């Protein structure tokens, strides 16, 4: 496998990659239902649930940079954000007895439900 | 632009529950004819299929940075998804009833990552305020009382600060960080690490970080408390696993 130098940008739950001298991305990876794995030194990989053997590998300039990316990518999914919202909502509800989302009129939205089985 | 389409298609059709779904009429890009499509909203993506039973979506609209507006055109129950930027296409959709249109407009306008992040930050802030007993609502200076370290974790409901009806402008920083105008870790960040007391330990408060533009900065800002919890458990699991592996190695002849 050939290593190609790319500019990589994490924007919400998408990982865009660019040729280093171009303004438009050549591709993007949607970061849902994926696994971020630390591989050998300076390397991490992204694989997807429906095709776990296929790994998108990235080599970083340093181990530190690699760790930084692994951390950021692990928290990049919408699903992660959703779970943290449910966590906070639940904690606040336990402490106050009130649903903090009622205030904003969004407590009934499907995306915020505790019991909704995902993945 | 390449996209991991197979993963996207899998994500669209897997049995994770959709935030909204139903038939909508979609106006063509060049021709003004409407096509009836099956729409599925999952997280910040709106997929559309030719038929309800189709195994792959025909297309997807990523709902970041968009505005959802009602159309005052003659076409009944129509609404538009508009993006900034001159090159971006405006998607005109029409529902089959007033109720359906309202439901779609509501769920689409709350679908973005940014919106979700805003809500999470708000809740995170509320929780911190409750735990550390800070007074007051938005802005102003915060009082760093010395009693915070002790049993000030339990707050009676009356102490919960009044919540604003409108969420603040999103800029990535906690409000009190803005008020102080300084990027510095709160003095509480060290507190929760101590476990000498018998009371249950809340997740440690991380130092506030300023948002940086683009790259890995974006995802790293959110749910800091939840992240720490997540991290802590994963470290524990990793340690247990390591111990187990070593024991395995040790027992080999």
């Amino acid at each position: 496998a050939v290593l190609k130098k790319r500019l990589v940008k994490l924007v919400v739950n998408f990982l865009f990659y660019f040729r280093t001298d171009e303004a438009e991305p050549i591709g993007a990876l949607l970061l849902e239902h994926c696994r971020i794995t630390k591989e050998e030194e300076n390397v991490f990989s992204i694989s997807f649930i429906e095709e776990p053997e296929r790994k998108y590998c990235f080599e970083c300039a340093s181990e530190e940079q690699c760790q930084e990316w692994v951390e950021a990518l692990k928290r990049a999914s919408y699903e992660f954000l959703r779970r943290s919202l449910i966590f906070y909502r639940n904690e606040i509800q336990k402490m106050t007895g009130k649903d903090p989302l009622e205030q904003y009129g969004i407590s009934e939205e499907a995306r915020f439900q505790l019991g909704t089985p995902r993945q | 632009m390449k996209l991991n389409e197979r993963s996207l298609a899998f994500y669209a059709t897997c049995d994770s529950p959709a935030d909204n779904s139903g038939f909508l009429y979609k106006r063509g890009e060049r021709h003004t004819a409407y096509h009836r499509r099956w729409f599925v909203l999952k997280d910040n993506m709106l997929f559309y299929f030719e038929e309800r039973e189709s195994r792959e979506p025909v297309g997807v609209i990523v709902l970041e940075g968009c505005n959802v507006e009602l159309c005052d055109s003659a076409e009944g129950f129509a609404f538009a998804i508009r993006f900034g930027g001159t090159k971006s296409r405006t998607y005109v959709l029409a529902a089959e009833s007033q109720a359906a249109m309202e439901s779609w407009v509501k769920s689409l306008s709350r679908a973005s990552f940014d919106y979700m992040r805003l809500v999470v930050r708000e809740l995170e802030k509320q929780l911190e305020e409750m735990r550390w007993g800070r007074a007051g609502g938005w802005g102003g200076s915060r009082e760093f009382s010395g009693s915070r370290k002790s049993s000030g974790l339990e707050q009676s409901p009356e102490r919960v600060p009044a919540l604003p009806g409108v969420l603040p402008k999103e800029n990535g920083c906690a409000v009190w960080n803005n008020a102080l105008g300084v990027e510095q870790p709160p003095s509480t960040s060290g507190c929760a690490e101590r476990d000498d007391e018998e009371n249950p330990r809340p997740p440690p408060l991380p130092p506030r970080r300023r948002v940086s533009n683009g790259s890995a900065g974006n995802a790293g800002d959110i749910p800091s408390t939840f992240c720490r919890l997540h991290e802590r458990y994963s470290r524990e699991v990793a340690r247990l696993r390591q111990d187990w592996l070593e024991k395995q190695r040790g027992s080999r002849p």
Side-chain angles (χ1 to χ4, degrees):
Chain A
V2 181
L3 276 180
K4 296 175 201 159
K5 188 169 188 180
R6 295 282 178 253
L7 175 68
V8 175
K9 257 194 176 183
L10 175 62
V11 181
V12 298
N13 51 348
F14 283 89
L15 188 67
F16 290 97
Y17 48 97
F18 304 68
R19 271 190 269 269
T20 49
D21 53 353
E22 290 175 9
E24 291 286 315
I26 44 178
L29 296 175
L30 169 67
L31 299 169
E32 298 293 334
H33 293 184
C34 66
R35 163 173 287 181
I36 316 294
T37 314
K38 171 85 176 65
E39 306 281 352
E40 66 265 24
E41 195 176 353
N42 294 352
V43 177
F44 68 87
S45 70
I46 304 175
S47 58
F48 294 89
I49 201 173
E50 78 285 354
E51 211 183 357
E53 340 70 51
R54 180 173 183 186
K55 292 185 172 192
Y56 296 82
C57 287
F58 295 83
E59 186 179 304
C60 306
S62 68
E63 187 56 29
E64 197 189 327
Q65 189 192 40
C66 188
Q67 283 300 340
E68 198 185 307
W69 275 99
V70 169
E71 294 311 301
L73 291 169
K74 278 183 173 167
R75 300 172 207 178
S77 69
Y78 196 100
E79 185 55 31
F80 183 88
L81 200 53
R82 208 187 79 92
R83 273 191 254 137
S84 49
L85 181 143
I86 288 171
F87 169 76
Y88 290 128
R89 181 189 190 185
N90 200 34
E91 290 295 298
I92 293 172
Q93 186 138 24
K94 281 197 293 203
M95 287 176 89
T96 64
K98 272 166 61 182
D99 176 2
L101 296 185
E102 260 171 38
Q103 172 96 10
Y104 308 114
I106 54 178
S107 48
E108 297 309 306
E109 287 277 310
R111 66 184 68 242
F112 303 136
Q113 297 323 311
L114 201 67
T116 320
R118 286 277 195 146
Q119 190 155 296
Chain B
M1 188 190 78
K2 264 188 358 193
L3 203 51
N4 54 328
E5 282 178 12
R6 185 126 51 116
S7 304
L8 232 83
F10 177 82
Y11 176 69
T13 53
C14 75
D15 54 13
S16 63
D19 296 303
N20 206 341
S21 59
F23 284 106
L24 289 171
Y25 292 89
K26 181 170 151 294
R27 198 166 76 185
E29 193 162 4
R30 270 172 274 259
H31 318 290
T32 52
Y34 281 82
H35 293 108
R36 191 171 187 252
R37 297 274 179 258
W38 176 255
F39 280 79
V40 173
L41 173 62
K42 278 193 185 179
D43 297 341
N44 56 345
M45 274 164 293
L46 183 62
F47 296 95
Y48 50 98
F49 299 75
E50 184 136 358
E51 309 279 342
R52 186 171 177 169
E53 309 77 32
S54 300
R55 291 172 69 231
E56 262 190 13
V58 170
V60 61
I61 303 168
V62 179
L63 300 163
E64 290 301 325
C66 71
N67 279 316
V68 185
E69 307 165 353
L70 298 177
C71 292
D72 45 24
S73 61
E75 298 128 355
F77 317 124
F79 56 97
I81 303 175
R82 241 176 255 285
F83 294 88
T86 47
K87 288 195 283 185
S88 302
R89 174 185 169 178
T90 294
Y91 294 86
V92 178
L93 304 172
E96 287 168 329
S97 71
Q98 179 72 17
M101 181 197 71
E102 284 174 9
S103 147
W104 275 105
V105 169
K106 244 202 267 181
S107 48
L108 289 171
S109 42
R110 290 165 189 161
S112 74
F113 209 89
D114 281 344
Y115 179 86
M116 187 63 127
R117 197 156 40 189
L118 208 79
V119 178
V120 170
R121 260 209 194 97
E122 169 61 20
L123 294 190
E124 191 185 11
K125 196 181 94 63
Q126 281 179 31
L127 194 59
E128 279 175 35
E129 284 177 352
M130 275 182 239
R131 285 195 166 132
W132 301 110
R134 302 251 160 79
W138 295 104
S141 58
R142 298 287 171 165
E143 285 162 47
F144 288 73
S145 68
S147 61
R148 145 180 45 76
K149 216 185 3 168
S150 55
S151 51
L153 294 172
E154 297 309 302
Q155 296 298 317
S156 62
E158 294 78 55
R159 298 266 333 260
V160 172
L163 306 170
V166 178
L167 294 175
K169 283 221 173 73
E170 161 78 341
N171 71 348
C173 298
V175 171
W176 53 299
N177 219 19
N178 286 340
L180 296 173
V182 180
E183 181 192 325
Q184 62 183 347
S187 16
T188 56
S189 64
C191 258
E193 294 295 321
R194 273 169 244 149
D195 203 20
D196 12 25
E197 294 147 15
E198 292 305 307
N199 8 351
R201 187 165 52 146
L205 288 176
R208 290 287 174 199
R209 281 178 286 173
R210 182 168 289 146
V211 168
S212 53
N213 283 337
S215 68
N218 275 337
D221 296 322
I222 8 123
S224 31
T225 308
F226 178 78
C227 285
R228 286 300 165 112
L229 200 67
H230 192 84
E231 280 307 304
R232 196 147 35 88
Y233 284 122
S234 77
R235 275 202 294 273
E236 211 171 292
V237 168
R239 202 169 34 235
L240 287 169
R241 187 170 177 272
Q242 189 62 27
D243 289 344
W244 181 83
L245 280 173
E246 275 162 15
K247 284 206 192 96
Q248 294 294 99
R249 280 190 223 115
S251 62
R252 282 205 198 108

